[in-house]
Amino acid sequence: MSATCSRLAPSPTGALHLGNARTFLWNWALARTRGWQLLMRIEDFDGPRIQPGTGMAALETLQWLGLDWDGEPMVQSSDRGPYLDAMERLAREGLVYPCSLSRRDIASAASAPHEDEHETCFSASLRPQDAGESQPFQSTPGVHWRFLVSPGPELVVDELSGKHEFRPSEACGDFVAWTVRDEPAYQLAVVVDDLRQEVSDVIRGNDLLSSAARQQLIYQTLGATPPRWWHLPLVRGTDGRRLAKRHGDTRLDSYRKLGTPSDRIVGLLAYWCGLLPERQSLQAQDVLTLFDMSTLPKDDIVFTPEDDSWLRG
């Protein structure tokens, strides 16, 4: 494996939309122009949100756009061993503990603000008395395992946006490492995956920038060095919110069914990356000749009605 390695990691919770595609295209172009290895991973630990067949559909859609990767795709759920090994180590070292509190219990005791609308900060006052003590890891129905977060700042250095200081103990508190569904939570799974695939550079949307702080804590406890982080500005709707169903159907497959050529989509994505002065059709391979990371806009991109009209052509 080459010394520098990145990965594309679609989650099979729904069809790829234009925002996903823009991040994947930039990631692909960065890797290919720098001679990095680029791996594919299907991140399918997300319980009831997983939609059967969407993982393989995402791969086919990315190939339709002209993107490729090295080797066979890795599917998270195909091997639980590495995640179990990590949890056993963390439990043995007293860095995780079981917790059966409900969201309502946690919310009623919360003294810190929400990190986002989906998560309430887990107060240190809710920890069991034996938190921090060595214990065997055992998955139990109805019980989470939480990662013990120490107070203090965590510095994240991003290749695109510079230095950011986070305080996970105040923003999220002890976060879930293993879920009640008997599977690793995202924060643990992505660290284990990147370690076993020897990923050196992680490229993703800046909505996950704060997650880098949590993941660095896990890297440190596992005695490993975190990757280099590259967090891209997001694609948003005209209301300023992250691109989603509320902004209409922005799925790649939907445009494809309408007859939109792949090079029209690639051209719009390249335009959003600052590689073109205006919207125009472009093959993915041609993106490599134009690629310049310095042209990437520093602010989030807005998906406009004009963009949609141009794709529909």
Side-chain angles (χ1 to χ4, degrees):
M1 181 173 290
S2 63
T4 308
C5 175
S6 186
R7 42 59 165 187
L8 305 175
S11 175
T13 56
L16 294 179
H17 59 64
L18 291 169
N20 305 136
R22 189 252 195 161
T23 299
F24 287 143
L25 178 70
W26 200 89
N27 189 352
W28 172 80
L30 178 67
R32 289 298 183 233
T33 55
R34 294 194 171 195
W36 298 356
Q37 185 165 37
L38 184 64
L39 305 179
M40 173 61 71
R41 179 166 76 227
I42 303 297
E43 297 187 340
D44 62 342
F45 281 133
D46 210 351
R49 296 182 63 223
I50 296 298
Q51 297 182 21
T54 53
M56 292 300 107
L59 303 191
E60 199 275 333
T61 300
L62 291 174
Q63 290 174 324
W64 174 69
L65 288 180
L67 276 59
D68 63 352
W69 48 87
D70 301 310
E72 292 298 316
M74 187 195 88
V75 180
Q76 281 183 328
S77 61
S78 64
D79 183 6
R80 288 164 47 90
Y83 314 104
L84 292 170
D85 290 344
M87 282 299 297
E88 288 169 359
R89 174 174 175 176
L90 294 175
R92 186 169 60 250
E93 296 180 8
L95 298 169
V96 292
Y97 60 86
C99 173
S100 59
L101 295 176
S102 67
R103 289 187 179 182
R104 180 175 297 180
D105 295 332
I106 297 167
S108 64
S111 58
H114 292 192
E115 183 179 68
D116 57 40
E117 68 267 29
H118 304 296
E119 184 176 24
T120 301
C121 183
F122 187 91
S123 170
S125 65
L126 297 174
R127 293 171 179 165
Q129 291 185 347
D130 61 353
E133 297 179 8
S134 176
Q135 58 185 306
F137 170 67
Q138 182 177 358
S139 179
T140 305
V143 175
H144 289 101
W145 280 74
R146 292 185 175 273
F147 184 88
L148 195 67
V149 178
S150 300
E154 183 66 25
L155 181 66
V156 174
V157 179
D158 188 81
E159 298 295 316
L160 296 174
S161 58
K163 296 179 179 179
H164 302 266
E165 184 178 284
F166 295 97
R167 293 182 178 271
S169 62
E170 300 173 13
C172 62
D174 296 349
F175 56 86
V176 175
W178 196 271
T179 75
V180 294
R181 298 185 300 273
D182 189 24
E183 62 184 28
Y186 169 76
Q187 305 294 354
L188 177 73
V190 72
V191 171
V192 171
D193 290 337
D194 285 339
L195 282 174
R196 64 171 166 158
Q197 290 191 293
E198 299 181 32
V199 171
S200 63
D201 289 73
V202 170
I203 295 94
R204 57 192 184 184
N206 64 14
D207 55 325
L208 291 171
L209 183 57
S210 62
S211 285
R214 303 190 211 184
Q215 290 159 23
Q216 285 185 178
L217 297 178
I218 299 176
Y219 274 101
Q220 293 160 14
T221 59
L222 293 176
T225 301
R228 290 190 297 181
W229 306 109
W230 307 69
H231 289 89
L232 276 67
L234 297 181
V235 177
R236 298 186 180 274
T238 53
D239 59 359
R241 302 173 72 181
R242 186 172 60 181
L243 200 63
K245 291 181 180 179
R246 69 178 75 91
H247 302 115
D249 193 346
T250 62
R251 294 175 299 174
L252 301 184
D253 285 346
S254 295
Y255 286 110
R256 186 178 181 182
K257 289 176 182 177
L258 289 172
T260 302
S262 61
D263 59 358
R264 209 166 179 86
I265 293 176
V266 170
L268 176 62
L269 303 179
Y271 170 64
W272 283 349
C273 291
L275 302 176
L276 294 173
E278 59 186 13
R279 303 176 193 90
Q280 66 184 68
S281 297
L282 191 70
Q283 297 285 338
Q285 285 298 320
D286 293 329
V287 172
L288 302 183
T289 64
L290 298 173
F291 187 74
D292 181 349
M293 57 176 279
S294 69
T295 67
L296 182 73
K298 296 185 181 302
D299 297 323
D300 291 344
I301 294 296
V302 176
F303 174 63
T304 66
E306 292 75 21
D307 292 329
D308 181 61
S309 296
W310 189 80
L311 286 177
R312 294 173 183 270

